[in-house]
Amino acid sequence: MYLKNPTLLPVAWKLSGLETLGDDFSFPVNHGVIEPLSEFAVHACFRAVKPVLVKKVVRVEVFDAEQILGLVQAENIQVHAEGYDVALDITFPKGTDGGLDFGTSRVLDDSRQQCSLKNKGKYEVAFNFQLDGEGTGITDVNDLFLVTPTKGNLGPNDRPMQVQFLFRPSYQVQIKEAPILKCYVLEPSLSQEKGSIACIPIKISAKSVFSRYNIVPTNDSNFGLLPVGVRRSQSIVIENKGEFDFKYTISKMPHIDPGVRHKTVLEEKQGRGVNEGGSGRHPVRKESASSASHLTPKVPLAPKSVRQPQELSMTQSRLVLGMFTLYPAFGTVYPGQQQTVSVECAPEAAGHVEEELSISITDRNPEDSLFGIPYKLIARSCIPAINTTDHASIFEEHLICRSIADFQEFAQSLQRDGSIYGEEENRFSFRDVTVGIKQFARFKITNISQVPCDVLFSARNQAGKALGRGHEIFEIEPTKALIPACGSIYATVTFAPQSMQAYSAVFEAVVEGIKEGSNRSLTFEMLGEGSLPQISVLQPVLRDNKDTPFLLFPRTLQGQIKTLPVLLKNNGTLASKIFFSVVDLQNTFRIKTTASLAFPMQLAVGETLAFDVEFIPTTSQVFKSELVICVEGNEYESVRIALVGEGFLDDVTLENINSPAPQPRVIDMEDGSEAMKHSAVDFGDCFIAEARTTTISLVSHSLVDVMHFQWADHTYVKFSPQVGHLHPGCSKDIAVTFRAAEPKSLFKESLTCRINKITFSVPVEEIPDWDDCVRTGKWVDSRKFSASSKSGELPIASMAAQQKAVDIEPEPVHTVKDASQTKTITLLVDAVADYCHYKYSTKKVNFKDTLMFQTRRYEFTVENSGCIQLPYSWEVSSSSDQCADVSETAVAAEHGTFVQTNPLLVSSPETSRQCDSPVMASTLIDCDHVPFSVGPSSGVVRPGDVATFTATFSPLDIGSYSALAVCRIPNLPEGMENLSIVLNGQSHLPYCHFELGVGSIIEDETETSSLALQSGMRILTLSAVGAKSTVTRTFSVINPTNKTLTYKWQSKEATESILGSTFKCQTSTGQIEPGMRSQVRHLFTVSKCAL
């Protein structure tokens, strides 16, 4: 109300009776002063705390400003007020505790709630629902919720009004008891600002979620390396970690056109701009458990044009993409559960494969892979393979040769046990296998691929059929094995021969599951032969009619010992263990024991065993026995040697006869018994008029009688002594001499010696030993006196002369006891006397022009056309015409064949003549130096044989040479001279000289080496043992000229790339000063066993 002062004086005023109004009324100003001609507004505030009806009176009292006059004016003011209760009843669904709980829903799904409004008051009210996210962090609540109706009026008698609340989230959000919804109660007649009676906050709980999932493996399934033809499985697990079930679909990732992709991105940006211009969307946030409102970042949905391929469903549950097969390709996964999708990979070809899949999950976040969740299936397949070419690795525990046929030539000299593999035959040979004994061989099978592989092992015959289980000759263990990537195993083959015969089979190792490929299978032939240990008898060489070795002892005096050698050799393929036994009941034969001879004896392959058999006769008779030699493990290899000897008791025997070695021949027992009764002397080959003498002993075994012996006369054989005496128990050496003045041959010439017992008139002890070689000498005086000399005086001019006279001592007088008991001893003599005869192939050799330090050779032959051995000795000397020019004889140079002992890298002789140093083609040289030689320099040629000699020309200087080679041969017939050959040659200066050393070149006369050497090439051989080894050769190159030489090594072969990996020169270029040398180093790396 307004108080107005119409006067010109200020007035004071105050309100009285306010206490009667109660506490519901309040006056901000209840007294004051009003200026003249002014007015003042008095405000009264009514705030009812409970329904009340007020009718009261208050009085306004007016005073002068100074309170002089007192109360000037008083006015009563009627105060009427009513306080009523607005009874707006809001009914919420049960269990919501006075709010709205939309629960959890999928994004874009509608969730509805409602409440009822009832005006229980006596006046009409208005309501207005407003959404306000201030303080909650939600700025776009109007996009999330829809209220119907948002406002209205309620009369006191109206029915309850239903208000619908719709929750339609477009992104993932979580609201928990947030008072974002407010209901304003209004006075209908007033505006909201002035008529707002009450504001009722309503708490809202709502949650929207996308489909939550987990895929294991996360981004791809990598099968790694797989063998071709092998099926392998993996699984993809799709787990539902959300609150609603979802459907998944697996398909091939569609091809999205770049234009469509760009358009989709623009639409997405535009959609975001509109929303941001409206209610405004909040940026991406992380979840916070402590906040009242838990929000998840909103994500706009992709347009239908993009979502359509993603939501494409498949009509079949099995999806095949290349080598991959997936099952099931679509399905439904419920909350908390998971679906396992099986992925099978069956590669059919080698290579790297990647298949890109699209996994579509309904109601997922669209920004999570807009075109479908990308998923890759990765596999790398390769063809399993095993090593089939590196024989050094496969047969690393065995010998490897290029050809088994060539190996057999020197196999006996190779002191090493074990089997062998031949590369040319592709054959593995079991060596030295005893029948009934198992031999094992291991082969290294290597997986050369990057994936494990199953390998099947089998042994089959040549026809391709597998060997049955009953075939126990070749067995393979294991029959199947899994070899890891780049790993290896050993396959063991057991060879157990059952008899002495050859067995063969084919070893096969095949990679399982692979139908074709170069390294799919390893096959080679296995060859084995059952053997038994065996020995052969080298001595004795005599055989009887049944081919039994025959040990024939000479006639042996009773009680004496005669020995003959026995030589055994293990000529089999196995080591032999031998036993000896002598079948002799009379104990006349025995094996001579030594410290190194202990039975049984172990005899290695190719080894020989020599021992002696002794014959000790006890009576005068012929003894026969057997020496039995048994070989352990071979019951069929029992060798029997016949032992034959004769014991006798004679007064006189021939001893110490150097009989020749018996020649192999067949005799019967009777002939053998007859042959051993005689002794033989062999003089061999003798020259004409050459006396060949040997000595034998005549031994008396009588202890009482004196023996008289006399050898019969012979034209060519003489005995000394020829006649003589043998005292009891004594012996006498007899010299037997053969001499022929003309060609003569004696074969088993029988010479006899007559033996008689004699007696003397005096005791034997007083008779000295006598034979016709005993000589006596005496001095005989022959004095000559002159006529003028007196008796008894010797003239000075005439000296006394004495001569020694030597005569045969007279044989002592003796008497033959009994002429009828004369005994005869026979001696057999063999001898050949003849001249030496020869035939030759050439008389003159003209060598081709030869470079210094180079050697040319020419071979010629000499034949022994005579009947005896031909001894020779070569002498080479400068001929009388050496200082003459022999250049005109170059036409005959075809005789020479070029070889090397000190190989040189030089040009042809024609080019060498153009060297800077002068070539002394016709210059006379030092006659003391003879560059010629003939070899072998000395020796013997057997009758009928042809000896090959080599004439060499090795000049050390420049010039022309001539020499005479003379072969000194003794015992030539009259008119035949010693063999002589004229040697001519001419040398030139080379560009450079190579000091390769002895044994560094090829000296055989093969066609390849001859052509190479004739063209000026030099051949250097480098030999290596075993593959993957390196041989180094270093030699010197000398510059014999007077200028500096520059050299460069290069290959002239078409296969230079191949040679570059095999041969390598570490000093390929360089310079050599005049008269100096340079070191050159070559390397040879062996890649395989070949030439």
Side-chain angles (χ1 to χ4, degrees), residues 1051 1053-1064 1085 1087-1088:
S1051 174
E1053 296 293 334
T1055 58
E1056 184 173 355
S1057 60
I1058 300 177
L1059 291 176
S1061 60
T1062 305
F1063 296 95
K1064 183 178 181 181
T1085 302
S1087 58
K1088 61 179 181 178

Short mmCIF file of all heavy atoms in Angstrom, two decimals, residues 1051 1053-1064 1085 1087-1088:
data_model
loop_
_atom_site.label_atom_id
_atom_site.label_comp_id
_atom_site.label_asym_id
_atom_site.label_seq_id
_atom_site.Cartn_x
_atom_site.Cartn_y
_atom_site.Cartn_z
N SER A 1051 89.28 -66.84 -65.70
CA SER A 1051 88.78 -68.11 -66.22
C SER A 1051 88.33 -67.93 -67.66
O SER A 1051 87.67 -66.95 -68.01
CB SER A 1051 87.62 -68.60 -65.36
OG SER A 1051 87.05 -69.75 -65.93
N GLU A 1053 86.65 -70.49 -69.15
CA GLU A 1053 85.62 -71.49 -69.35
C GLU A 1053 84.27 -70.82 -69.53
O GLU A 1053 84.03 -69.70 -69.07
CB GLU A 1053 85.57 -72.46 -68.15
CG GLU A 1053 86.83 -73.27 -67.98
CD GLU A 1053 87.04 -74.26 -69.12
OE1 GLU A 1053 86.04 -74.66 -69.73
OE2 GLU A 1053 88.20 -74.60 -69.41
N ALA A 1054 83.35 -71.55 -70.19
CA ALA A 1054 81.99 -71.03 -70.36
C ALA A 1054 81.24 -71.00 -69.05
O ALA A 1054 80.38 -70.16 -68.81
CB ALA A 1054 81.22 -71.90 -71.38
N THR A 1055 81.57 -71.93 -68.18
CA THR A 1055 80.91 -72.01 -66.87
C THR A 1055 81.73 -71.27 -65.83
O THR A 1055 82.12 -71.81 -64.82
CB THR A 1055 80.71 -73.47 -66.45
OG1 THR A 1055 82.00 -74.12 -66.43
CG2 THR A 1055 79.82 -74.20 -67.43
N GLU A 1056 82.00 -70.00 -66.12
CA GLU A 1056 82.86 -69.22 -65.22
C GLU A 1056 82.19 -69.01 -63.88
O GLU A 1056 82.84 -68.98 -62.85
CB GLU A 1056 83.18 -67.88 -65.86
CG GLU A 1056 84.15 -67.04 -65.04
CD GLU A 1056 84.58 -65.78 -65.78
OE1 GLU A 1056 84.18 -65.66 -66.95
OE2 GLU A 1056 85.28 -64.97 -65.20
N SER A 1057 80.84 -68.89 -63.89
CA SER A 1057 80.16 -68.69 -62.60
C SER A 1057 80.29 -69.91 -61.72
O SER A 1057 80.41 -69.80 -60.50
CB SER A 1057 78.68 -68.39 -62.85
OG SER A 1057 78.07 -69.46 -63.56
N ILE A 1058 80.28 -71.08 -62.35
CA ILE A 1058 80.45 -72.31 -61.57
C ILE A 1058 81.87 -72.42 -61.06
O ILE A 1058 82.12 -72.75 -59.91
CB ILE A 1058 80.05 -73.52 -62.41
CG1 ILE A 1058 78.59 -73.40 -62.85
CG2 ILE A 1058 80.28 -74.81 -61.65
CD1 ILE A 1058 78.14 -74.52 -63.74
N LEU A 1059 82.82 -72.10 -61.93
CA LEU A 1059 84.22 -72.20 -61.51
C LEU A 1059 84.53 -71.17 -60.44
O LEU A 1059 85.36 -71.41 -59.57
CB LEU A 1059 85.13 -71.99 -62.71
CG LEU A 1059 85.13 -73.12 -63.76
CD1 LEU A 1059 86.01 -72.72 -64.93
CD2 LEU A 1059 85.58 -74.42 -63.17
N GLY A 1060 83.86 -70.03 -60.51
CA GLY A 1060 84.12 -69.01 -59.51
C GLY A 1060 83.77 -69.45 -58.11
O GLY A 1060 84.38 -69.02 -57.15
N SER A 1061 82.78 -70.32 -57.98
CA SER A 1061 82.42 -70.83 -56.66
C SER A 1061 83.26 -72.01 -56.25
O SER A 1061 83.25 -72.39 -55.09
CB SER A 1061 80.94 -71.23 -56.66
OG SER A 1061 80.71 -72.24 -57.62
N THR A 1062 84.00 -72.60 -57.20
CA THR A 1062 84.81 -73.78 -56.89
C THR A 1062 86.28 -73.42 -56.78
O THR A 1062 86.96 -73.82 -55.83
CB THR A 1062 84.61 -74.85 -57.98
OG1 THR A 1062 83.21 -75.13 -58.08
CG2 THR A 1062 85.35 -76.13 -57.60
N PHE A 1063 86.79 -72.67 -57.75
CA PHE A 1063 88.19 -72.25 -57.75
C PHE A 1063 88.25 -70.75 -57.50
O PHE A 1063 87.47 -69.99 -58.06
CB PHE A 1063 88.86 -72.57 -59.10
CG PHE A 1063 88.94 -74.04 -59.39
CD1 PHE A 1063 87.97 -74.65 -60.17
CD2 PHE A 1063 89.97 -74.82 -58.90
CE1 PHE A 1063 88.03 -76.01 -60.44
CE2 PHE A 1063 90.04 -76.17 -59.17
CZ PHE A 1063 89.07 -76.76 -59.94
N LYS A 1064 89.21 -70.36 -56.70
CA LYS A 1064 89.36 -68.94 -56.39
C LYS A 1064 90.84 -68.63 -56.20
O LYS A 1064 91.55 -69.34 -55.51
CB LYS A 1064 88.59 -68.59 -55.11
CG LYS A 1064 88.64 -67.10 -54.77
CD LYS A 1064 87.83 -66.80 -53.53
CE LYS A 1064 87.86 -65.31 -53.20
NZ LYS A 1064 87.09 -65.01 -51.98
N THR A 1085 87.39 -75.30 -53.39
CA THR A 1085 86.32 -75.67 -52.45
C THR A 1085 85.51 -76.80 -53.06
O THR A 1085 84.97 -76.66 -54.15
CB THR A 1085 85.41 -74.48 -52.15
OG1 THR A 1085 86.21 -73.42 -51.62
CG2 THR A 1085 84.35 -74.86 -51.12
N SER A 1087 82.46 -79.05 -53.65
CA SER A 1087 81.00 -79.03 -53.51
C SER A 1087 80.40 -80.42 -53.58
O SER A 1087 79.38 -80.70 -52.97
CB SER A 1087 80.38 -78.15 -54.60
OG SER A 1087 80.75 -78.62 -55.89
N LYS A 1088 81.03 -81.31 -54.35
CA LYS A 1088 80.57 -82.69 -54.41
C LYS A 1088 81.74 -83.56 -54.84
O LYS A 1088 82.76 -83.06 -55.34
CB LYS A 1088 79.41 -82.84 -55.40
CG LYS A 1088 79.76 -82.46 -56.83
CD LYS A 1088 78.58 -82.66 -57.76
CE LYS A 1088 78.94 -82.30 -59.21
NZ LYS A 1088 77.79 -82.53 -60.11
#
